[in-house]
Amino acid sequence: MEQPVRLSVLLYQEGEFWLAQCLEYDVVAQERSIPKVVEALQWTFYAQILFDEREGQPPFSTVEKAPQKFWDLFETAIPLGRTYPTLPTVMSPGSAVESVQEEFRLAA
């Protein structure tokens, strides 16, 4: 059985917008509330998967990890008890990804 895909997501605010920055893949979304930014991140993942499938590449194979400053922020961010759906609800049938292990943290 394959290991689950690990996703670490940093939630932080810039002005009136919330951003959700994935660390393992430099994928980010922006919205006006935490629930909306998480949904936007989900759609961004979905779009990347579709793009990669169209190009005949494995999902996220061309996406670098996030810059180090986000990894550093994540280390001191507040872990959120609730997890949000990111990949499992948008992965296509027959995908190589069987499960996702995610952790959301809020930057103070």
Side-chain angles (χ1 to χ4, degrees), residues 41-59:
L41 183 66
Q42 185 179 42
W43 283 108
T44 304
F45 275 123
Y46 183 63
Q48 183 65 48
I49 291 165
L50 290 178
F51 176 80
D52 288 340
E53 284 179 356
R54 186 187 75 193
E55 297 298 313
Q57 301 170 352

Side-chain angles (χ1 to χ4, degrees), residues 19-81:
L19 287 92
Q21 171 71 56
C22 180
L23 301 184
E24 289 78 8
Y25 306 104
D26 192 12
V27 175
V28 65
Q30 174 181 305
E31 262 297 346
R32 293 187 183 269
S33 70
I34 291 176
K36 287 185 184 248
V37 77
V38 170
E39 181 180 355
L41 183 66
Q42 185 179 42
W43 283 108
T44 304
F45 275 123
Y46 183 63
Q48 183 65 48
I49 291 165
L50 290 178
F51 176 80
D52 288 340
E53 284 179 356
R54 186 187 75 193
E55 297 298 313
Q57 301 170 352
F60 304 104
S61 61
T62 61
V63 182
E64 299 288 327
K65 71 177 189 171
Q68 187 62 43
K69 69 178 185 176
F70 295 111
W71 291 84
D72 295 343
L73 279 171
F74 190 81
E75 287 303 314
T76 60
I78 302 164
L80 297 179

